[in-house]
Amino acid sequence: MSEIKLDAYLFCRLKQLGIQSVFGVPGDYELALLDLVAENGLTWRGNPNELVASYAADAYGRVNGAAAFVSTFGPGELSAYCGVAGQYTEYVPAVHIIGYPGVSAMKAGAIMHHTLGDGKFTFCHEMTKHITVASAILDDPASAPAAIDKVLTAMMIESRPVYLGVPADLAHYPISSKNLQTPLNVTLPPDDTEVTEATVKEIRSLIDNAKSPILVIDGCTHRNRCVEEAHELQTLSGLPTFVTSMGKGTALEDLPNYGGVYAGAGTHAAIKDVVESADFVLWLGRYGSDFNTSEFTMNVAEDKIVDLQRFYATIAGRKVDQKMEYLLKALIENIQAKPLAQAKQVTWEPYPLRNLPAVGPLTQDFLWNALSKFFQPGDCIIGETGTSAFGLGDSYMPKGSFYFNQTIWGSIGYATGAIVGACQAIKEGSGGFKRGILVTGEGSLHLTAQAIADLLRYDLKPIIFILNNGGYTVERLIHGKTESYNDVAQWDYANMAKTFGPAFPSKYHGPIKTNEELVKLIESGAAREDCFQVVEVTLAPLDAPKSVLLTGAAIDEFNKQKTLPGA
C-alpha cells in the first residue's frame, strides 16, 4: 500500500482544490507541519499575526475559490477567530489548520504551554464549533484521510470555514495515500428536475404578468459563485437591475438596465422610488442584515419577492427546495428559448453624484465620483467597513472588475489584511485580475497595519487609498462628534512603506487635499500597479458620503418613532 505523510496528504488535497498559497504564523506545535508546505508544491505566505492571516485567507478564498491558513494551538488560533467568524458569516471557504501538542501529552493531561494549565485540550475546539461547518482533530492516523476528506468537502459544499487540528507528533506520520487518486466531489447535489421545471414556470409567469418587474443582485450571489449566471440573467432579461451594499460589484454596471444601489432609507431618491414601486422582485442571494438594509428600512413587500439562496428559494415567503445555481441556469434556458417582453428601461442616473464640479477642498462625494474614473477592468477592489463601503456604492465598477467588503461581520481592519490575500491570488492568476486596490479609513488601517510588511516583502503591488480625516467618521456621525474617543493617532503615511519595508520599491502620492489634485493624479496615470503605492487623501472630519448621511438621518427618524417594549 502506498503511503504518504499525514500533513502531506492534507496539502495534496488543498492543491487539488486549487489552493496555491498557505497563510499563517509559525509556532512550535506546527513547525513540523510547515516543513511539508513547500515539499508539496504550495507556497508559504507567513503573516505578522494570526488575525492578519485569517483576513488574508478570507480574501484569497473569495478571489480564488478556497483558502488555507495555519496557526498554533491556543493563543494562535484564538487570535484568528475574529477572522474565522467573518469567513463563516460571509460564506468564505477556508480551512484553519492548527498545530496541536503531541498525542501522548494530550492523553496524559500534561500541563503544556498555550493551554489553560488544566491538562485539557478541547476548549478551543469547542469554541470554533460556533464559527465553522465541520471540524476534526487528526489524532488517529488510520482515520485521518477520511476525516480530512470529509471536512474539506463540507468546506466546499457549504462555502464556509472548517477546522483541522494536527498533533505535532503526527505531522510526518505515514498514512495511506489511496484516497488521493480520487478528487473530492464538491459539486452541489442535483435538484429534482420536475420541481425545477415547475418552479421556473411559476417564476416566469410572475415576471410575465408583472407591470414593473426588477432584478436585485445581493451579496450571497457572489458568495454562492453565481456571478456569471447573474450577469447572463441581467443581460438576457433586460430587467432593471439593482444591487445592495453587499451585492455591489456583482452586476454589470455598463449595461443600460443597471439601476444602482438600493439600500432602503440610504438610497438616492430616484432609485428608491423605482425599487419600492416594483410589483415583482427577483432577488438573488438576499441578505437582510442591518448594514445591508440601512437598519431594516428597505420597503419591499414580501409577497412581491422571489428570493434565490444557495440551497433553497422562497416565492412570496413559501420555501422551495431548489438551489440557486441550478435554478438560475434553468431560468436562463427558459428565457433563451422564449425571450421576455421588452422591459422598462432605466431612465434615472445610477450614479447621481457623477457630475460634481472638480473645484475646491476634496469632499467625500467627489472622491467616489473620481474613483469611478480610476477603476479599470481587471481591478479587485476592497472597501473597508464604514465610510469606504458606503461611499463605493456611488462609484462605477467596470465590467471585469470585482469589489467586496465585509458587510455583515464588519470587523474594522479587515480590509488591510484582506488585500494581502487578494493580491496573492491575483499574482497567481486567479480570476484574471490585474490590480489589487484597497480603500480604507485610517482608523481601520491602524488595526492591521502590520499587513503592509507582507504586501511589500511578497511584492504584491496594491494601490492603497487612505482616507485621512483624523478619526472614525461614521462613529462621529452616530455619536460623539467632538469626543476624543473618536480620534486616532496621526501617522506619517508618506514614510509608512519605508518603515515596514525599506528594501522594497514603493510610491507615495499626497496628501491630496483638493478635488483638482485628485483629478490630476488620476488623469496623469501616476498611480499604477508597478509597485506598492499609497494615495493619501485628506477629508474634513465630519464629511461623509451622501448615502451615510441619508442612512443616519433615516435611522434617527426611525428610532424616534419607536417606543420601548411595554411603554
Side-chain angles (χ1 to χ4, degrees):
M1 179 179 68
S2 179
E3 292 185 330
I4 189 172
K5 294 175 182 178
L6 189 153
D7 280 349
Y9 181 100
L10 170 58
F11 292 134
C12 285
R13 276 300 195 207
L14 298 184
K15 194 172 180 180
Q16 288 177 353
L17 292 175
I19 295 171
Q20 298 183 49
S21 293
V22 178
F23 302 95
V25 179
D28 57 346
Y29 290 142
E30 68 190 80
L31 295 178
L33 178 156
L34 297 185
D35 287 338
L36 298 173
V37 173
E39 281 186 22
N40 289 280
L42 300 174
T43 300
W44 171 250
R45 284 290 180 249
N47 310 108
N49 60 53
E50 292 84 1
L51 182 61
V52 168
S54 64
Y55 288 160
D58 178 301
Y60 185 93
R62 295 188 197 223
V63 177
N64 179 65
F69 71 106
V70 179
S71 70
T72 200
F73 176 84
E77 57 180 308
L78 286 177
S79 296
Y81 281 0
C82 179
V84 177
Q87 295 164 6
Y88 181 88
T89 307
E90 304 231 349
Y91 297 92
V92 179
V95 54
H96 184 187
I97 304 165
I98 300 92
Y100 264 67
V103 173
S104 57
M106 290 194 288
K107 285 184 176 179
I111 307 299
M112 303 292 290
H113 65 283
H114 292 343
T115 71
L116 299 178
D118 57 5
K120 298 178 181 178
F121 298 87
T122 59
F123 66 101
C124 288
H125 185 210
E126 290 302 314
M127 292 181 193
T128 200
K129 289 179 181 179
H130 296 280
I131 53 174
T132 59
V133 292
S135 64
I137 299 173
L138 306 175
D139 53 7
D140 175 16
S143 63
I148 291 170
D149 290 357
K150 181 179 179 181
V151 168
L152 294 182
T153 298
M155 174 183 78
M156 300 303 293
I157 293 292
E158 299 287 338
S159 192
R160 274 181 156 163
V162 294
Y163 178 106
L164 283 173
V166 185
D169 54 355
L170 294 185
H172 290 243
Y173 198 95
I175 62 173
S176 172
S177 65
K178 180 181 177 181
N179 289 3
L180 289 176
Q181 298 172 18
T182 305
L184 297 177
N185 181 8
V186 296
T187 57
L188 295 177
D191 287 334
D192 184 309
T193 54
E194 289 186 6
V195 177
T196 301
E197 199 173 303
T199 305
V200 168
K201 185 177 179 180
E202 184 175 2
I203 294 172
R204 180 62 193 265
S205 175
L206 289 168
I207 297 173
D208 290 341
N209 290 320
K211 293 180 180 178
S212 55
I214 65 170
L215 173 66
V216 176
I217 305 178
D218 212 331
C220 287
T221 305
H222 175 266
R223 275 59 165 185
N224 292 326
R225 302 279 159 188
C226 289
V227 174
E228 287 186 14
E229 290 83 357
H231 287 176
E232 192 166 2
L233 181 62
Q234 179 189 353
T235 304
L236 275 174
S237 71
L239 293 172
T241 300
F242 302 85
V243 295
T244 62
S245 175
M246 188 177 172
K248 176 69 176 176
T250 53
L252 293 170
E253 299 188 13
D254 59 327
L255 290 185
N257 63 335
Y258 176 70
V261 178
Y262 175 60
T267 312
H268 296 289
I271 298 170
K272 186 174 186 292
D273 289 344
V274 174
V275 174
E276 295 183 355
S277 64
D279 59 355
F280 173 80
V281 183
L282 181 57
W283 206 307
L284 310 185
R286 188 182 182 195
Y287 205 111
S289 72
D290 55 352
F291 273 17
N292 202 37
T293 62
S294 290
E295 208 67 27
F296 313 111
T297 57
M298 286 185 172
N299 186 23
V300 181
E302 288 295 324
D303 61 2
K304 297 178 182 177
I305 297 173
V306 169
D307 176 22
L308 275 55
Q309 296 290 345
R310 185 172 182 82
F311 293 110
Y312 65 90
T314 57
I315 302 175
R318 173 172 53 87
K319 196 170 182 179
V320 183
D321 234 358
Q322 289 287 289
K323 301 177 186 68
M324 177 191 288
E325 178 184 348
Y326 301 139
L327 195 53
L328 269 178
K329 288 177 178 176
L331 182 58
I332 288 167
E333 288 179 4
N334 177 281
I335 296 173
Q336 285 172 332
K338 184 184 176 185
L340 297 178
Q342 185 66 34
K344 176 182 174 183
Q345 293 300 300
V346 170
T347 56
W348 57 92
E349 174 55 76
Y351 315 99
L353 308 174
R354 182 191 309 256
N355 298 314
L356 294 173
V359 294
L362 184 63
T363 65
Q364 289 269 0
D365 285 340
F366 186 84
L367 169 65
W368 312 114
N369 169 54
L371 287 179
S372 296
K373 301 178 179 68
F374 178 75
F375 297 143
Q376 301 172 7
D379 284 348
C380 182
I381 306 151
I382 305 178
E384 181 58 89
T385 296
T387 304
S388 300
F390 275 102
L392 285 163
D394 286 326
S395 297
Y396 167 70
M397 303 292 172
K399 183 179 180 180
S401 65
F402 173 38
Y403 164 73
F404 63 89
N405 63 69
Q406 197 187 57
T407 309
I408 310 149
W409 186 240
S411 177
I412 62 172
Y414 160 79
T416 305
I419 196 66
V420 175
C423 285
Q424 181 61 40
I426 291 169
K427 192 171 185 177
E428 294 169 2
S430 294
F433 299 114
K434 299 174 183 177
R435 297 195 303 184
I437 299 172
L438 166 64
V439 186
T440 182
E442 57 179 342
S444 297
L445 174 74
H446 289 192
L447 273 76
T448 47
Q450 308 98 311
I452 290 166
D454 291 344
L455 293 163
L456 287 159
R457 68 175 176 148
Y458 298 138
D459 192 29
L460 297 180
K461 302 177 182 177
I463 301 170
I464 302 177
F465 286 83
I466 301 175
L467 281 55
N468 182 350
N469 53 8
Y472 298 102
T473 300
V474 173
E475 283 74 11
R476 278 191 179 124
L477 293 170
I478 294 172
H479 185 81
K481 290 182 179 179
T482 60
E483 296 295 340
S484 60
Y485 50 69
N486 282 325
D487 297 339
V488 298
Q490 293 300 291
W491 289 8
D492 181 358
Y493 297 108
N495 287 300
M496 186 171 61
K498 297 302 179 187
T499 299
F500 285 102
F504 304 100
S506 64
K507 290 180 183 177
Y508 169 81
H509 308 279
I512 305 295
K513 297 182 178 181
T514 68
N515 294 344
E516 297 96 320
E517 289 172 347
L518 183 59
V519 170
K520 183 178 179 181
L521 174 71
I522 291 173
E523 290 182 348
S524 71
R528 297 188 181 90
E529 68 274 17
D530 56 344
C531 68
F532 175 96
Q533 298 188 60
V534 166
V535 180
E536 180 185 357
V537 297
T538 303
L539 298 153
L542 295 179
D543 188 19
K546 190 171 184 179
S547 55
V548 172
L549 300 176
L550 286 169
T551 300
I555 291 171
D556 186 48
E557 185 61 31
F558 178 79
N559 290 337
K560 289 176 183 177
Q561 296 171 10
K562 297 297 177 182
T563 57
L564 292 174

